[in-house]
Amino acid sequence: MKKIITLFILSVVFAVVCSSQGIDNDNFIVTHGPWLQNLSSTGVTIAWATNKPAIPGISITGTDGSKRFIRNSHYGNVDGGGMEHKVRVEGLVPGTAYKYALNSVQVLKYQAYRVYYGDTLSGKQLTFVTPPEKSDKVTFTIFNDVHELSGKMGSYLQHNNIPLQDFYFFNGDMINYLQEPEQLYRGFIDTAVFYFASVKPFYYIRGNHEARGYAARDLKNYFDYKDDRFYYSFDMGPVHFVVLDCGEDKPDNSKEYYGLADFDTYRQEELVWLKEELKSEAFRKAVHRIVMIHMPVVKAEKQNHAMTWLSTNFGPLLRDAGVDMVFSAHIHRNAYYEKDKSGYGYALLVNSNNSFVEVEADSDRIKALVKDVEGKTISEYIIK
Ligand SMILES: [Fe+2]
């Protein structure tokens, strides 16, 4: 008992001394992450968050033992001072395993002529592998319409062999809207980090719900996108992926948007980009051409404003370019359209809000398994 009383008195004395000296003894911690973004054969972006402002850095070690410490800068200023962090690492060797560790230096005060640093957090070493320049196989999993209910995503992940997948797509509506970063963290990032996102990258495709809320404008603070756009393309294994951004579902002048939507203009800009993309050598020469887009692009009578726009404008372009397969979401039910049923010559797999798609593409075929929250296969599709 005497010991307990002594310890209590000591801790009170320590707290009084600290507060009288103005020392902030609250724990400085990494609150979320890390999660890998925008992985290529030669680069990766590592993102995480701290509970207090910090200067972020990454220590990276190659298989030959060579070490580098990386901080990014923009327009001459080293990145940092906030609580959401992203560090881009370039100059990597294709098909190589790297060890990395987070480095976060707490910023106590950031004044014009004096900066006060606090603790430095050095994270544990984690590993990622850069994709080889050429490979005849790729595997990935698609999640969509989770709407912040990360439990079902966790349930599916518990029942699956995570290390087998090369990467992951979040095909939109992972959140209901974006007002607070906690929606992203609780909604799906923390679950993704727990199961895979520190060692395998994910691509976060916007759905209509990601366009909603004041902080929707800040989405890029948390993720990294190739070419800094929500629509882009990349190659992995035998597949050329074209990622498209569907925008909001209703007409821009709908009362729900309070005059703050301009998605027809945005989709028109995307259309200009898409026309050039479909002419690219990477697209034309790929073994398989896969399009990822939250809203299904399908020929149908009654559709919402955005889906009608996408069907009219994107559909014929994708048909003429020879897209093999489109993966979509949004309608909260499973649907599969054979090549001759989508209206545009490609197979279209629409995944529901309660299932997950595992895809394996090799030089002969694309195989897609639709699985439920317990990891049981619901259906299987093969495109040759
Ligand atoms: Fe949606």
Side-chain angles (χ1 to χ4, degrees):
M1 189 64 186
K2 240 183 188 178
K3 248 185 187 173
I4 294 170
I5 293 168
T6 313
L7 276 173
F8 175 74
I9 292 168
L10 278 174
S11 66
V12 168
V13 168
F14 180 73
V16 168
V17 168
C18 285
S19 69
S20 68
Q21 293 186 358
I23 297 168
D24 180 0
N25 64 347
D26 284 355
N27 283 340
F28 171 50
I29 54 168
V30 169
T31 44
H32 306 280
W35 56 99
L36 302 181
Q37 294 282 282
N38 199 0
L39 178 68
S40 72
S41 295
T42 57
V44 68
T45 301
I46 298 156
W48 71 100
T50 48
N51 64 335
K52 291 168 190 290
I55 307 293
I58 290 290
S59 302
I60 194 149
T61 310
T63 37
D64 59 354
S66 60
K67 287 186 193 318
R68 287 158 69 198
F69 181 73
I70 295 139
R71 279 181 175 155
N72 291 163
S73 65
H74 285 87
Y75 314 108
N77 286 323
V78 170
D79 290 358
M83 297 195 285
E84 287 93 32
H85 313 293
K86 282 193 291 186
V87 174
R88 180 73 188 167
V89 180
E90 290 285 3
L92 304 176
V93 177
T96 304
Y98 287 91
K99 285 188 175 139
Y100 76 97
L102 308 184
N103 179 283
S104 316
V105 179
Q106 186 183 2
V107 177
L108 295 172
K109 260 186 195 172
Y110 196 139
Q111 296 174 337
Y113 299 103
R114 189 162 287 192
V115 177
Y116 296 84
Y117 292 121
D119 291 341
T120 297
L121 295 178
S122 298
K124 66 175 180 185
Q125 281 210 324
L126 296 156
T127 304
F128 68 87
V129 183
T130 52
E133 275 175 335
K134 279 193 178 160
S135 152
D136 55 13
K137 192 180 157 193
V138 68
T139 56
F140 57 95
T141 292
I142 305 166
F143 305 85
N144 54 264
D145 296 282
V146 164
H147 287 282
E148 301 178 31
L149 300 173
S150 55
K152 57 185 170 186
M153 189 179 137
S155 169
Y156 158 78
L157 284 162
Q158 259 178 15
H159 293 92
N160 283 274
N161 196 351
I162 307 309
L164 285 181
Q165 302 304 79
D166 293 320
F167 64 87
Y168 298 80
F169 278 116
F170 292 125
N171 201 3
D173 289 6
M174 297 302 292
I175 50 173
N176 295 320
Y177 52 83
L178 190 53
Q179 274 319 95
E180 303 285 343
E182 276 304 315
Q183 290 175 270
L184 293 167
Y185 297 134
R186 275 200 318 272
F188 73 100
I189 291 178
D190 289 346
T191 303
V193 168
F194 182 79
Y195 285 99
F196 63 82
S198 300
V199 293
K200 296 282 175 91
F202 66 76
Y203 298 82
Y204 187 19
I205 301 164
R206 289 206 310 176
N208 45 314
H209 284 264
E210 274 80 13
R212 292 178 188 173
Y214 171 73
R217 290 157 184 79
D218 300 331
L219 202 63
K220 284 184 186 168
N221 291 353
Y222 308 90
F223 309 99
D224 191 38
Y225 293 88
K226 192 180 170 215
D227 305 326
D228 200 31
R229 277 193 311 254
F230 292 124
Y231 50 88
Y232 52 91
S233 66
F234 67 97
D235 296 278
M236 205 71 91
V239 180
H240 184 73
F241 292 94
V242 179
V243 174
L244 296 174
D245 190 10
C246 62
E248 267 288 13
D249 52 358
K250 292 177 268 300
D252 287 338
N253 60 4
S254 300
K255 64 178 188 331
E256 290 87 346
Y257 304 145
Y258 289 86
L260 296 174
D262 191 19
F263 286 97
D264 280 345
T265 309
Y266 173 68
R267 280 185 289 255
Q268 200 66 45
E269 290 164 8
E270 186 177 357
L271 181 69
V272 172
W273 171 85
L274 182 60
K275 283 179 183 169
E276 289 307 307
E277 158 60 27
L278 299 177
K279 285 186 222 162
S280 71
E281 198 176 313
F283 181 91
R284 286 186 294 108
K285 293 198 169 167
V287 177
H288 305 297
R289 302 169 189 94
I290 290 179
V291 170
M292 305 295 305
I293 181 167
H294 176 72
M295 287 181 196
V297 184
V298 61
K299 208 176 237 179
E301 293 268 306
K302 282 186 181 174
Q303 303 198 92
N304 67 34
H305 170 77
M307 285 173 68
T308 305
W309 195 101
L310 296 168
S311 175
T312 309
N313 292 280
F314 286 2
L317 281 181
L318 301 178
R319 176 195 61 210
D320 296 347
V323 166
D324 297 299
M325 189 146 193
V326 176
F327 289 99
S328 290
H330 184 65
I331 60 173
H332 290 209
R333 63 181 169 81
N334 291 109
Y336 183 73
Y337 299 80
E338 302 278 356
K339 278 176 182 248
D340 58 350
K341 296 276 164 41
S342 68
Y344 298 114
Y346 47 70
L348 169 64
L349 199 163
V350 188
N351 185 45
S352 84
N353 56 326
N354 286 314
S355 54
F356 310 87
V357 188
E358 291 173 14
V359 185
E360 183 186 297
D362 60 26
S363 44
D364 295 325
R365 62 178 192 168
I366 303 165
K367 181 177 146 191
L369 293 178
V370 181
K371 292 191 170 180
D372 68 13
V373 288
E374 286 170 350
K376 291 194 199 91
T377 301
I378 300 169
S379 49
E380 178 178 328
Y381 305 100
I382 292 176
I383 304 293
K384 294 229 174 185

